[in-house]
Amino acid sequence: MESHVREICGHVTWRGVLGNGVWRLGSRSTQSAASCWSVWSVNLCCGLSDCPPLGLETLKIDDFQLHASTMQRYGLGAHRGRLNIQAGLYEDDLYDGGWCAGRNDPLQWFEVDARRLTKFTGVITQGRSSLWSSDWVTSYRVLVSNDSHTWVTLKNGSRDLLFIGNKEKEIPVLNTFPKSVVARYIRINPRSWYSGGSICMRVEILGCPMPGKIPTCKKGDNLDFKHHSYKEMRQLMKVVNEMCPNITRIYNIGKSYNGQKLYAIEISDNPGEHELGEPEFRYTAGSHGNEVLGRELLLLLMQFLCQEYLSGNPRIRHLVEETRIHLLPSVNPDGHDKAAEAGSELSGWSLGRWSQDGLDIHHNFPDLNAILWEAESRKWVPRKFHNHHIPIPEWYLSKNATVAMETRALLGWMEKIPFVLGGNLQGGELVVTFSYDRTRPHGVMREATPTPDDPVFRWLAFSYASTHRLMTDAGRRVCHTQDFAKEDGTINGASWHTAAGSMNDFSYLHTNCFELSMYVGCDKFPHESELPEEWENNRESLIVFMEQVHRGIKGVVRDLQGRGIANAIISVEGINHDIRTAADGDYWRLLNPGEYRVTVRAEGYAMSSKVCEVGYAMGATRCSFTLTRSNLSRIKEIMEKFNKQPINLRHPPRRPRQRRLGT
């Protein structure tokens, strides 16, 4: 057997020809691989023991790089054979849940063209994603080639290697090769499949592209690009706090089902207290514990804000000094632990999604939509029922209610801090969704259901999507079943799929906060090597969206003595959704550019109105009010002061009718 020896990264590497120029690799280390070069980019070089996914799931591998022997129909073609790809609710000819061969026989294959020599180290497989059928491959062979014509089968001695596949359709199964092989093409040849189904697969390939020369690291943000355990997350937050003690504060909002504290970090020029006129902003992530990318993005964001503030970046300094920012990176740490234990490629689509007691935290809030819409149908709004700050039903607050501990912690957090704008980072798609998330008609699965603030929500969603590197790219491939790029990377939640009790709808209907969901990547749990690229995709969007908290009007509602009036109602003519002032009388009302007639009402005070103009430049327009006591309120105060019964002016006492004499 011909052999060649060369040294790469301090490793003596030998290559033995298997046939057709395909190499089997082995190595013995002469020095630490880490001391040779630092790997920052997503492509790990050969010589490292573990290779990342090629990117079928993350769409780094294009459709034209995927081929198959046959297919049942276009929607089950090779381009759908990607790990964790999801079928639509109603399967059709375009978007199905995997590659399915046109015939069930041992001659079928699924092929990936890596487009360059690659060290292949393993294969991950799933069955077909489907609500209606059960299809998966139970065993397969692996073949490699450099020209896609002559193929070499991986062997164990003189026998073909037969890899054990899946036992059901959802749980990913990893098979690593006994020895890595270098080739351009890799092919999976199913040999057996579930007897009640067909040959169907979803696949990811583990491989390291072979460098033509020793790579040089590109320079990027000096951040900690890795997946963090709960302990490592706490430690990183502590490091950020120690680096920037004057602008950060760590606190927790409660505990998870398993007793893990839900840590948040505050970033502000005066951490620890609400400043009059300064808006409160929040990002949350990880309500679905297996959607790990959002968690890591917030950990990267807190590092970035600290470093840029210290370096004097004027944009970041202005944001920190004018905004009170709260970052809660892991709402569901228990679920994250489950997903992390399986690993980024093997946790599947749902492992760790729910809380420890089996609840979907993001959709575990009280359904206030139904309460409001019922009141509207009875014509109670606005005389008998407010169009905002809808109270939480008593049954929901009882100890026996099916409410996750994490949800109760979020509720207390929302009640305590007067948030103006918020975003919750999720995964598995590339789109920004906005309220309402529930359709108004019962039984309708999808129907656009806008809020009274629909133009504002659309702008907020577009501000994130348009600055993301991929969301509005018309040429990008869809993650699963819908091309959101056609809709500018945004969608009304109810027109995607209806969901009662979402965090977004609750936040809008019970508090002053406008909340949106950012689905930040097709892959819920990307490989660690993908984090730098995902950070680049989302970094500008994360900052731009925070800056939108300063769009609209703001002000303080005071009495004649200059004291702030809490719970004063702020109404904008033409928008059937009011907000209320905070404890100190300050308020923020998100609005698009234009002229608005704003009216303020408070119990015991005379109503006041004025026209406020919102410009196109960033920065909220000041629109403050000074209220005088109403006449009725002043009369009541005088009567109470002199210990006399206040006069009920609405129902004056009737005088007894006197009979005339002589009648």
Side-chain angles (χ1 to χ4, degrees):
M1 181 177 70
E2 180 186 3
S3 64
H4 300 267
V5 179
R6 61 177 177 164
E7 185 167 322
I8 301 178
C9 296
H11 282 66
V12 175
T13 304
W14 60 90
R15 304 184 297 174
V17 179
L18 292 178
N20 191 38
V22 176
W23 304 104
R24 173 186 293 141
L25 282 139
S27 67
R28 61 178 178 82
S29 177
T30 60
Q31 64 174 347
S32 168
S35 67
C36 176
W37 71 76
S38 173
V39 178
W40 186 92
S41 67
V42 295
N43 292 331
L44 300 181
C45 77
C46 65
L48 298 179
S49 58
D50 296 322
C51 285
L54 289 187
L56 277 76
E57 182 177 6
T58 60
L59 309 182
K60 285 175 60 180
I61 297 294
D62 291 325
D63 285 354
F64 68 80
Q65 294 176 255
L66 304 176
H67 308 278
S69 52
T70 59
M71 62 182 178
Q72 287 186 16
R73 59 175 184 271
Y74 178 77
L76 292 169
H79 64 292
R80 300 295 293 176
R82 301 171 180 270
L83 191 73
N84 283 322
I85 203 165
Q86 300 295 296
L89 181 61
Y90 305 106
E91 297 171 7
D92 52 41
D93 289 337
L94 293 179
Y95 300 113
D96 243 322
W99 162 68
C100 290
R103 302 185 302 273
N104 287 342
D105 62 51
L107 300 178
Q108 305 306 309
W109 47 263
F110 176 86
E111 178 185 313
V112 180
D113 175 7
R115 300 182 64 193
R116 63 180 294 178
L117 285 179
T118 300
K119 182 179 77 167
F120 296 117
T121 61
V123 172
I124 302 171
T125 60
Q126 283 172 309
R128 173 184 173 186
S129 170
S130 173
L131 294 174
W132 318 108
S133 61
S134 298
D135 308 288
W136 61 84
V137 170
T138 56
S139 67
Y140 59 88
R141 297 187 309 168
V142 174
L143 301 86
V144 291
S145 171
N146 277 340
D147 58 11
S148 78
H149 296 293
T150 304
W151 293 86
V152 177
T153 304
L154 270 60
K155 294 183 179 292
N156 183 11
S158 60
R159 294 184 178 182
D160 292 351
L161 271 172
L162 189 66
F163 295 97
I164 303 301
N166 299 86
K167 296 181 179 179
E168 52 84 73
K169 57 189 175 184
E170 287 299 336
I171 299 177
V173 173
L174 166 66
N175 278 299
T176 55
F177 304 155
K179 294 183 179 179
S180 55
V181 290
V182 174
R184 172 175 170 174
Y185 301 89
I186 185 168
R187 182 177 282 185
I188 298 172
N189 167 220
R191 305 299 292 175
S192 62
W193 47 92
Y194 173 56
S195 59
S198 303
I199 295 176
C200 297
M201 304 184 77
R202 290 177 287 169
V203 176
E204 183 62 86
I205 306 296
L206 304 183
C208 301
M210 297 289 287
K213 59 181 181 179
I214 294 179
T216 57
C217 298
K218 65 178 182 178
K219 300 298 182 182
D221 297 325
N222 184 26
L223 307 176
D224 189 19
F225 293 107
K226 61 170 287 185
H227 286 304
H228 295 82
S229 66
Y230 180 78
K231 182 178 180 180
E232 290 168 337
M233 178 187 74
R234 287 187 305 165
Q235 183 59 34
L236 178 61
M237 295 173 77
K238 183 179 179 182
V239 168
V240 172
N241 178 238
E242 291 173 348
M243 285 180 60
C244 296
N246 295 329
I247 62 167
T248 62
R249 177 179 70 98
I250 300 172
Y251 64 99
N252 76 81
I253 68 167
K255 292 184 178 180
S256 71
Y257 185 91
N258 287 342
Q260 299 188 91
K261 292 181 179 179
L262 308 181
Y263 285 106
I265 191 168
E266 175 191 340
I267 303 175
S268 170
D269 62 339
N270 192 14
E273 63 180 83
H274 172 74
E275 295 184 67
L276 188 71
E278 186 170 293
E280 308 262 0
F281 176 92
R282 70 169 180 252
Y283 269 133
T284 62
S287 58
H288 299 142
N290 64 330
E291 294 170 7
V292 176
L293 177 56
R295 166 185 170 125
E296 296 304 331
L297 287 176
L298 291 192
L299 293 177
L300 292 166
L301 180 61
M302 64 180 68
Q303 298 172 65
F304 178 81
L305 293 176
C306 171
Q307 292 180 12
E308 293 300 301
Y309 185 89
L310 293 178
S311 69
N313 183 324
R315 181 187 185 189
I316 300 303
R317 277 190 167 268
H318 181 267
L319 182 63
V320 170
E321 291 167 0
E322 299 297 324
T323 320
R324 193 179 180 206
I325 302 166
H326 304 258
L327 307 179
L328 178 62
S330 189
V331 174
N332 182 7
D334 299 347
H336 174 269
D337 289 348
K338 287 184 179 179
E341 185 177 358
S344 63
E345 315 314 317
L346 300 179
S347 57
W349 190 251
S350 59
L351 180 65
R353 174 184 175 89
W354 298 279
S355 67
Q356 184 65 27
D357 47 348
L359 298 174
D360 185 333
I361 296 170
H362 185 70
H363 297 109
N364 189 219
F365 291 82
D367 180 10
L368 302 184
N369 304 61
I371 297 173
L372 173 63
W373 296 338
E374 174 67 17
E376 288 179 344
S377 68
R378 294 176 179 267
K379 302 187 184 303
W380 289 349
V381 180
R383 299 186 64 182
K384 294 183 179 180
F385 198 90
H386 291 296
N387 63 10
H388 68 290
H389 280 231
I390 299 169
I392 300 173
E394 290 186 10
W395 66 264
Y396 183 89
L397 297 174
S398 68
K399 292 183 178 180
N400 296 329
T402 307
V403 182
M405 290 183 63
E406 297 86 350
T407 310
R408 294 188 189 275
L410 288 171
L411 286 173
W413 192 40
M414 294 179 184
E415 299 278 14
K416 183 178 180 181
I417 299 176
F419 291 111
V420 179
L421 179 62
N424 53 85
L425 306 189
Q426 302 196 43
E429 260 300 349
L430 276 171
V431 68
V432 181
T433 70
F434 51 90
S435 291
Y436 289 121
D437 287 332
R438 181 186 169 181
T439 57
R440 190 178 287 246
H442 287 290
V444 177
M445 297 299 296
R446 295 179 180 178
E447 183 176 278
T449 310
T451 69
D453 283 289
D454 190 60
V456 179
F457 272 113
R458 289 184 179 276
W459 168 255
L460 293 170
F462 185 69
S463 71
Y464 193 99
S466 63
T467 49
H468 190 279
R469 295 204 306 178
L470 296 175
M471 279 188 186
T472 55
D473 181 1
R476 74 171 178 86
R477 188 191 179 283
V478 300
C479 292
H480 299 285
T481 62
Q482 289 186 251
D483 188 358
F484 293 112
K486 292 181 178 178
E487 305 294 333
D488 293 326
T490 70
I491 192 170
N492 170 257
S495 65
W496 184 14
H497 53 72
T498 186
S502 75
M503 182 175 175
N504 295 353
D505 288 2
F506 173 83
S507 183
Y508 180 68
L509 294 175
H510 183 69
T511 76
N512 289 342
C513 185
F514 286 41
E515 180 89 11
L516 293 85
S517 293
M518 291 79 179
Y519 291 78
V520 292
C522 298
D523 189 350
K524 292 183 177 183
F525 196 164
H527 190 272
E528 195 168 272
S529 61
E530 302 285 347
L531 294 178
E533 185 171 354
E534 294 294 356
W535 167 246
E536 291 296 326
N537 289 341
N538 288 277
R539 178 181 59 188
E540 180 66 13
S541 300
L542 290 165
I543 298 169
V544 166
F545 186 74
M546 284 192 288
E547 291 172 334
Q548 303 313 305
V549 77
H550 296 284
R551 185 174 295 279
I553 60 175
K554 68 177 181 179
V556 183
V557 179
R558 297 184 173 93
D559 61 17
L560 290 175
Q561 287 71 43
R563 296 171 298 198
I565 302 173
N567 287 317
I569 298 175
I570 312 294
S571 301
V572 178
E573 187 176 39
I575 302 178
N576 187 28
H577 180 80
D578 303 333
I579 64 165
R580 299 195 182 195
T581 56
D584 297 327
D586 47 351
Y587 78 93
W588 307 262
R589 182 53 164 99
L590 298 176
L591 292 167
N592 287 340
E595 279 191 355
Y596 301 90
R597 175 162 290 279
V598 183
T599 301
V600 178
R601 299 177 180 86
E603 186 176 353
Y605 294 88
M607 182 179 68
S608 179
S609 296
K610 67 171 63 174
V611 174
C612 303
E613 183 176 355
V614 178
Y616 287 90
M618 186 62 68
T621 301
R622 292 191 177 275
C623 188
S624 295
F625 294 82
T626 300
L627 302 186
T628 59
R629 303 292 290 182
S630 65
N631 289 335
L632 176 60
S633 175
R634 293 170 65 186
I635 291 172
K636 287 183 177 181
E637 286 180 357
I638 293 171
M639 298 297 289
E640 290 174 355
K641 182 177 181 181
F642 293 99
N643 297 320
K644 295 184 179 181
Q645 185 70 25
I647 300 172
N648 189 339
L649 298 182
R650 290 185 180 180
H651 303 287
R654 293 183 180 180
R655 293 183 178 181
R657 298 179 67 181
Q658 297 180 354
R659 298 176 64 183
R660 293 183 180 179
L661 296 175
T663 59

